[in-house]
Amino acid sequence: MLTVVNPDDPTPAVGSDADAAGRSLIDEIVRDGARRMLAAALEAEVAAYIAAHADELDAEGRRLVVRNGHAKPRQVLTSAGAVPVAAPRVNDKRVDETGERRRFASAILPAWCRKSPQITEVLPLLYLHGLSSQDFVPALEQFLGTSSGLSAATVTRLTAQWQDEARAFADRDLSGVDYVYVWADGVHLTVRLDETKLCLLVLVGVRVDGRKELVALAEGYRESTGSWADLLRDCKRRGMRAPVLAVGDGALGFWAALREVFPTTREQRCWFHKIANVLAALPKSAHPGAKKALAEIWNAEDREHARRAVAAFKLAYGAKFGKAVAKVTNDLDELLAFYDFPAEHWVHLRTTNPIESTFATVRHRTKVTKGPGSKAAGLAMAFKLIEAAQHRWRAVNAPQLVALVRAGARFERGKLIERTDQPNPETAAA
């Protein structure tokens, strides 16, 4: 293998001490590239700021905004590792109306920034996976190349800050936001708790503009009706309107609570959970055929075709596996409710996927680590996990149709039905 080495390049080669410490040549190249790009971006930001105020001069004709060297180098933790940065400084001699000196503030690298937001997002996820605060330093030092800013005390302070943010979120006013669709699910976390599990009641909604966001997150008791009713009543007290449709698992105590607090909201059972329940009542040899038959129902062209697929499923499996078929037929209206809404929204309304995907790698983790964590800390970490995830959630398909759903528009076979109560112009003229 031919290796090209620049004798003037301080980057250590493979087999050097740096490589022996666990850092490969490719890691060094990535870090160096990140450092160069960050430095270029900071220089461009400062140059643009100075150019924007180039015409501002003092009484002697000298510029009021000029360069002022570089700040003391510091390390910033990024997903590429620890990147050394020497940010350019600006000498801004202008004063505002109060007599205070104006200051340049970088939007790329604020003065307080020591780690990228992506690194901060990793910490709650690792905590929920069972990593204790004492384990953060050895766990991340290998990946980031440094332990700076990741001490146990730092994680403890962040945990306290996240708990405050979670409490403020739980008390916020909901009267200014309208959630047309909501997904509900209970997430059980067994990590970091020796004796009791943490059951989180999660409510995710779709705003009128089609965006998804976390509505509520609270500690519950085994997804009971009382726990869900307390959460929904609290949301209603803070101004939440009744959603048009709610999506959730059929085994939840959520439905009884929903009928009590928001009786006008329609119900949609999650097909992801329903398929799992049906397959659990069938022998493994019947799973391939049953999956295909169930897909013919939830993926049907419209409600009529879905009912035909249900009849075919009942005919094929009803004689031998009546219990499995009953799991579908008993909840048929709730399983097919999504057909009354825009076809573009069907893919979103069939399952509780926004909640499932967020907690996919966490909810099935059962390891209990040393040192039991508190429920408050677990709730705060889950809040930060969802808060980070929702920045990547995309809006529902055809978001402009969500407002029509709230307005009470009717949809047949997934298409909007034109209103027929308006007078015909030709008939009125006659």
Side-chain angles (χ1 to χ4, degrees):
M1 180 179 67
L2 179 64
T3 304
V4 179
V5 179
N6 184 351
D8 298 327
D9 190 350
T11 303
V14 176
S16 65
D17 294 339
D19 184 64
R23 289 175 289 180
S24 65
L25 177 61
I26 191 171
D27 291 327
E28 296 297 330
I29 293 174
V30 170
R31 291 191 184 96
D32 184 63
R35 178 187 61 79
R36 293 175 184 271
M37 287 189 292
L38 180 57
L42 292 173
E43 292 288 349
E45 182 185 34
V46 167
Y49 182 83
I50 293 175
H53 304 289
D55 57 344
E56 300 189 37
L57 310 175
D58 61 12
E60 299 179 0
R62 291 176 297 191
R63 288 187 177 184
L64 292 174
V65 182
V66 295
R67 292 286 300 266
N68 189 26
H70 290 78
K72 183 179 179 180
R74 54 173 159 153
Q75 284 193 333
V76 178
L77 298 182
T78 71
S79 57
V83 177
V85 179
R89 296 192 304 183
V90 175
N91 185 10
D92 195 338
K93 302 176 184 178
R94 299 174 302 154
V95 295
D96 57 21
E97 56 276 4
T98 64
E100 295 290 332
R101 283 280 297 271
R102 297 183 183 275
R103 293 182 179 275
F104 166 74
S106 174
I108 299 174
L109 186 67
W112 48 263
C113 182
R114 293 297 184 275
K115 61 176 70 69
S116 71
Q118 284 73 20
I119 296 299
T120 303
E121 291 177 10
V122 169
L123 303 183
L125 181 60
L126 294 179
Y127 185 96
L128 289 176
H129 268 291
L131 196 65
S132 66
S133 58
Q134 290 80 10
D135 295 329
F136 274 94
V137 176
L140 294 181
E141 186 172 6
Q142 291 294 324
F143 172 69
L144 299 175
T146 180
S147 60
S148 175
L150 290 175
S151 65
T154 300
V155 176
T156 301
R157 287 195 300 270
L158 285 174
T159 303
Q161 175 186 335
W162 292 335
Q163 290 182 31
D164 293 338
E165 293 177 7
R167 283 190 290 268
F169 174 83
D171 293 334
R172 78 193 191 286
D173 181 28
L174 296 177
S175 60
V177 186
D178 187 9
Y179 298 107
V180 180
Y181 303 131
V182 294
W183 294 276
D185 201 1
V187 180
H188 296 269
L189 301 178
T190 57
V191 296
R192 298 188 55 75
L193 299 171
D194 287 335
E195 298 179 357
T196 58
K197 296 180 180 180
L198 175 61
C199 177
L200 298 178
L201 307 181
V202 186
L203 207 62
V204 174
V206 176
R207 300 162 60 106
V208 173
D209 59 6
R211 289 183 295 158
K212 304 172 190 172
E213 70 177 23
L214 178 65
V215 180
L217 177 68
E219 176 191 346
Y221 177 73
R222 298 181 180 179
E223 304 181 55
S224 66
T225 298
S227 296
W228 276 111
D230 289 340
L231 177 61
L232 292 178
R233 279 194 292 263
D234 180 65
C235 291
K236 186 176 182 179
R237 176 187 59 81
R238 290 185 282 125
M240 179 178 173
R241 292 183 60 186
V244 176
L245 180 72
V247 187
D249 180 11
L252 293 176
F254 170 75
W255 300 114
L258 182 71
R259 295 171 196 134
E260 174 188 343
V261 182
F262 296 122
T264 61
T265 300
R266 294 192 59 185
E267 302 175 13
Q268 168 65 48
R269 297 295 186 270
C270 172
W271 271 98
F272 177 84
H273 290 89
K274 181 58 67 175
I275 291 173
N277 293 336
V278 172
L279 295 180
L282 293 171
K284 289 186 177 180
S285 60
H287 284 191
K291 288 181 180 179
K292 184 177 180 180
L294 291 171
E296 291 292 330
I297 303 174
W298 61 261
N299 203 28
E301 179 182 350
D302 52 39
R303 185 188 295 271
E304 181 180 350
H305 286 82
R307 289 189 176 276
R308 294 177 184 174
V310 171
F313 177 74
K314 183 177 181 180
L315 181 64
Y317 296 94
K320 293 183 178 180
F321 311 107
K323 183 178 179 180
V325 173
K327 291 180 181 294
V328 175
T329 57
N330 291 348
D331 293 330
L332 189 58
D333 290 339
E334 290 78 10
L335 286 169
L336 304 183
F338 70 91
Y339 283 114
D340 293 332
F341 295 87
E344 294 85 349
H345 297 172
W346 291 356
V347 66
H348 305 289
L349 303 180
R350 289 191 290 244
T351 70
T352 54
N353 185 63
I355 300 176
E356 292 290 335
S357 59
T358 300
F359 284 95
T361 60
V362 177
R363 66 184 307 163
H364 300 298
R365 179 87 175 202
T366 58
K367 180 181 177 182
V368 179
T369 60
K370 60 182 180 180
S374 67
K375 290 187 176 182
L379 180 64
M381 293 296 178
F383 166 70
K384 295 302 293 185
L385 177 64
I386 300 180
E387 184 183 53
Q390 73 178 3
H391 294 304
R392 297 184 290 272
W393 291 344
R394 65 181 182 88
V396 297
N397 298 333
Q400 71 278 4
L401 297 178
V402 178
L404 294 179
V405 173
R406 169 57 78 187
R410 292 181 55 206
F411 294 84
E412 184 174 312
R413 296 186 175 182
K415 296 182 179 180
L416 178 66
I417 299 178
E418 299 293 339
R419 294 184 61 180
T420 58
D421 58 346
Q422 299 294 332
N424 188 323
E426 296 181 359
T427 304

